[in-house]
C-alpha cells in the first residue's frame, strides 16, 4: 500500500467531497499512474486568504483509491489561473475513509514530517505538485 498527499484548493476540495473523485493535470501523469486501488490518499488544502485573514494549509480528509486511473475531460474541477483551462483529465474514483471534523493543521506537523527535509523552505516539497508519495511514518503522524 502507498500513501499519498493530494494537494488541492478549497474550491476543488468541495468537488472531491461531492463527487468522490480525484483529478490531476496531464503533466502529472507519471505520478498518478503509480496510484493503485487500496492506496490511501490524504487531501491537503492549500493556504488561502479569506479577506484579511490567512487560512493555513490543512489536511481535511482521508480517502481510499477505489479505481485505476481513467481519463475524463468533463469540467468539474476549477484550475488555478496559473495553469489555464486544464480540466484535470486523469482521475481516480475515491472511497471516503474519514472526513476530518476538525482539519489537521499542516504547519504544526512540519518539524516532525520525514518527507519534508528542508523545514525552512517546506513549501518547495509541495509546490508544482498535484500529489506526492509520503512515508507510512508521516501518514501515521498526520492521521494521529
Amino acid at each position: 500500500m502507498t500513501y499519498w498527499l493530494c494537494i488541492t484548493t478549497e474550491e476543488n476540495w468541495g468537488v472531491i467531497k461531492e463527487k468522490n473523485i480525484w483529478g490531476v493535470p496531464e503533466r502529472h501523469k507519471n505520478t498518478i499512474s503509480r496510484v493503485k486501488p487500496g492506496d490511501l490518499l490524504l487531501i491537503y488544502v492549500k493556504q488561502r486568504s479569506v479577506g484579511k485573514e490567512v487560512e493555513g494549509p490543512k489536511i481535511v480528509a482521508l480517502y481510499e483509491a477505489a479505481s485505476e486511473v481513467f481519463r475524463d475531460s468533463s469540467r468539474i474541477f476549477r484550475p488555478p489561473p496559473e495553469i489555464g483551462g486544464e480540466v484535470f483529465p486523469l482521475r481516480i474514483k475515491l472511497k471516503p475513509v474519514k472526513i476530518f471534523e476538525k482539519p489537521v493543521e499542516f504547519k504544526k506537523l512540519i518539524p516532525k514530517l520525514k518527507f519534508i527535509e528542508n523545514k525552512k523552505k517546506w513549501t518547495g516539497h509541495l509546490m508544482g505538485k498535484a500529489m506526492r508519495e509520503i512515508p507510512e511514518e508521516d501518514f501515521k503522524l498526520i492521521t494521529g
Side-chain angles (χ1 to χ4, degrees), residues 27-105:
R27 70 180 183 282
H28 297 295
K29 183 179 183 175
N30 292 344
T31 306
I32 198 169
S33 66
R34 293 179 19 229
V35 178
K36 301 287 172 248
D39 282 0
L40 294 175
L41 293 78
L42 286 164
I43 307 298
Y44 167 100
V45 175
K46 295 193 239 186
Q47 177 171 301
R48 68 180 184 144
S49 297
V50 183
K52 289 185 178 159
E53 298 291 307
V54 171
E55 208 174 81
K58 59 195 179 201
I59 308 281
V60 293
L62 169 61
Y63 285 89
E64 181 183 321
S67 75
E68 295 282 345
V69 178
F70 63 94
R71 194 173 281 279
D72 178 351
S73 294
S74 57
R75 287 194 176 276
I76 58 171
F77 294 104
R78 177 156 305 157
E82 65 271 16
I83 66 167
E86 179 97 49
V87 294
F88 300 7
L90 303 170
R91 301 182 184 173
I92 294 172
K93 288 182 181 160
L94 300 174
K95 185 171 103 188
V97 175
K98 184 177 183 184
I99 308 290
F100 302 127
E101 215 169 282
K102 186 174 182 286
V104 178
E105 286 182 58

